[in-house]
Amino acid sequence: MAASPSTARAINDRNALRLLQQEGPLTARQLKQLTGLSRPTVADLVERLTAAGLITVVGEAGEQRRGPNAKVYGIVADRAHLAALDVRTEGVAVVVSDLVGAVLAEAWAPIAVDAGTGPAVERAVTLVERTVKEAGADRLHTVGIGAPGLIDPASGELRVSKGLPEWHRLLVATLQERLPAARVSLENETNLAALAEQREGAARGRDTFVLLWLGHGTGAAVILDGSLRRGASGGTGEIGFLPVPGTAGLPSAADCGGGFHSLAAAAAIAELAGEYGVVAEPDTELVAAGAVRAAAARARDEPVSADARFLDALAGRVAVGVAAVAALLDPGCVVLGGEIGQAGGTELAARVQDRTARMSPLSTEVRASLLGGGAVLRGALLTARDRAQDELFGPPAAP
């Protein structure tokens, strides 16, 4: 069935806006070439989008023809402002951007473990409000939040967790109260990191892969056939609870000690580095990441050394988790994410891939994260931008 004229216009407008988002400012002639539409159709959509306040003239381009320079059109970036939050147990990071994703202001605030729920929430919300003001934004259109823990797929709320602070659960509701005009959404931090790595990092071009998060804790995000998989209760990827050999016991429903967490979380890696005499780089916030980065750098020049033996031992631990993922999902690619995955780089990734190949008949490429710990914040911002653009670039509501 052929699309109605109004539907065809909406599709053309949306395609043009997506091109302006992906390619940057374009002339009408360039839009015609990229969309394949006729010159009159492009002229009509440019007029519509300009009248709607979605695009504007941002400059001129001299083309190889007679006559005046061609107008260059771009998205009205300040049509909406967005915020992204990376919520950790020890603090919160905030970024505020315009509609096309250009960062206008960013900030970080530590939050003490003993701060108390109310003061912790107020500190986080105040940080957001102050960053919005510094960005010169009147209000926020969309807020994306990444946080650790299980998120109920029905309610979109963080489930109660023994190991996570209570202020995490209250932050979303408080932000929504203080920013009533904004659309506030919450997603698991590792899932957001995977989306960012797929769009801009180590998994670019792949529609099936698993991101294995290696940071203060461990986690995994699963993307199959282009879709993020969350599971029946939002628990897909809770790999820290995976029972594995080489630990003192088994995990429990309330404690991942004894699971994969005990092999590959930051504390366990820092302890392993100490056993091999590996010293972290100075001024490193996460000691385990500093040790892994220093060992990887030295191992390239000294393949037979304590640093190389440390990386081999660490790769053996990580490969246990990767082989389990491969056996269940056969993703073909696993990205070692988080601060530690990025710090290990290709030195660690190659070792993990080699050891996984010894344990599994399934071919699994192992890549190092390109975004590291910053992937969560980037994923939250990309998600907020997509949601805002879906609403603002969508067809107008029927009268």
Side-chain angles (χ1 to χ4, degrees):
M1 182 180 295
S4 67
S6 61
T7 300
R9 285 194 295 269
I11 293 172
N12 291 339
D13 291 355
R14 192 176 182 87
N15 287 340
L17 287 163
R18 287 298 181 197
L19 284 169
L20 289 167
Q21 168 65 61
Q22 296 166 6
E23 305 293 335
L26 300 168
T27 64
R29 183 181 181 184
Q30 289 170 324
L31 280 171
K32 175 182 177 297
Q33 293 171 337
L34 291 169
T35 61
L37 299 172
S38 67
R39 181 178 297 177
T41 300
V42 170
D44 287 343
L45 75 81
V46 166
E47 184 177 350
R48 278 196 306 274
L49 295 175
T50 301
L54 292 174
I55 69 173
T56 189
V57 176
V58 296
E60 293 184 346
E63 298 191 343
Q64 301 301 315
R65 60 179 178 81
R66 288 186 172 185
N69 290 339
K71 295 178 180 178
V72 178
Y73 297 92
I75 292 174
V76 178
D78 60 0
R79 174 68 184 268
H81 290 96
L82 322 169
L85 280 71
D86 180 2
V87 179
R88 304 288 180 102
T89 55
E90 71 278 7
V92 59
V94 180
V95 163
V96 176
S97 82
D98 61 22
L99 184 58
V100 297
V103 174
L104 304 175
E106 53 190 323
W108 155 265
I111 296 179
V113 176
D114 57 355
T117 300
V121 171
E122 183 60 29
R123 181 169 173 78
V125 174
T126 299
L127 181 70
V128 174
E129 293 174 334
R130 186 170 69 244
T131 309
V132 170
K133 185 176 180 180
E134 291 175 359
D138 294 329
R139 65 185 183 90
L140 293 175
H141 182 282
T142 306
V143 179
I145 303 173
L150 294 177
I151 297 174
D152 190 309
S155 66
E157 298 178 351
L158 271 173
R159 291 170 53 182
V160 177
S161 176
K162 178 182 177 183
L164 297 173
E166 177 67 15
W167 66 268
H168 284 193
R169 296 185 64 247
L170 299 180
L171 177 59
V172 177
T174 305
L175 273 173
Q176 192 66 82
E177 290 175 4
R178 298 269 278 269
L179 305 169
R183 292 89 172 144
V184 181
S185 62
L186 176 69
E187 180 59 88
N188 173 268
E189 59 174 357
T190 309
N191 288 344
L192 290 176
L195 293 174
E197 292 284 359
Q198 185 185 38
R199 295 270 288 273
E200 300 180 346
R204 186 178 297 181
R206 295 202 63 100
D207 63 359
T208 294
F209 73 99
V210 169
L211 180 131
L212 181 60
W213 183 269
L214 301 173
H216 282 287
T218 59
V222 177
I223 294 184
L224 300 178
D225 300 323
S227 297
L228 177 65
R229 309 294 181 172
R230 295 179 175 83
S233 63
T236 295
E238 288 296 316
I239 198 169
F241 286 89
L242 179 73
V244 294
T247 61
L250 291 172
S252 69
D255 185 2
C256 56
F260 183 67
H261 176 92
S262 296
L263 286 184
I269 294 174
E271 183 178 347
L272 181 67
E275 293 174 7
Y276 284 87
V278 175
V279 179
E281 293 178 336
D283 302 322
T284 302
E285 183 177 341
L286 190 60
V287 172
V292 171
R293 184 177 293 107
R298 291 190 291 258
R300 281 191 287 270
D301 299 325
E302 301 178 43
V304 181
S305 62
D307 295 295
R309 291 195 297 274
F310 161 64
L311 288 180
D312 288 338
L314 175 57
R317 292 186 176 194
V318 175
V320 171
V322 174
V325 165
L328 287 172
L329 300 174
D330 187 20
C333 177
V334 172
V335 175
L336 303 184
E339 296 89 347
I340 294 170
Q342 184 185 42
T346 56
E347 287 292 322
L348 178 60
R351 284 171 163 82
V352 174
Q353 181 171 317
D354 177 67
R355 280 150 186 76
T356 302
R358 300 177 195 175
M359 289 187 280
S360 173
L362 304 173
S363 178
T364 306
E365 181 183 3
V366 180
R367 301 179 180 179
S369 165
L370 297 180
L371 304 177
V376 177
L377 198 58
R378 188 60 190 163
L381 185 58
L382 289 169
T383 302
R385 189 186 74 184
D386 288 348
R387 287 172 177 159
Q389 290 183 355
D390 283 344
E391 179 177 327
L392 294 173
F393 295 175

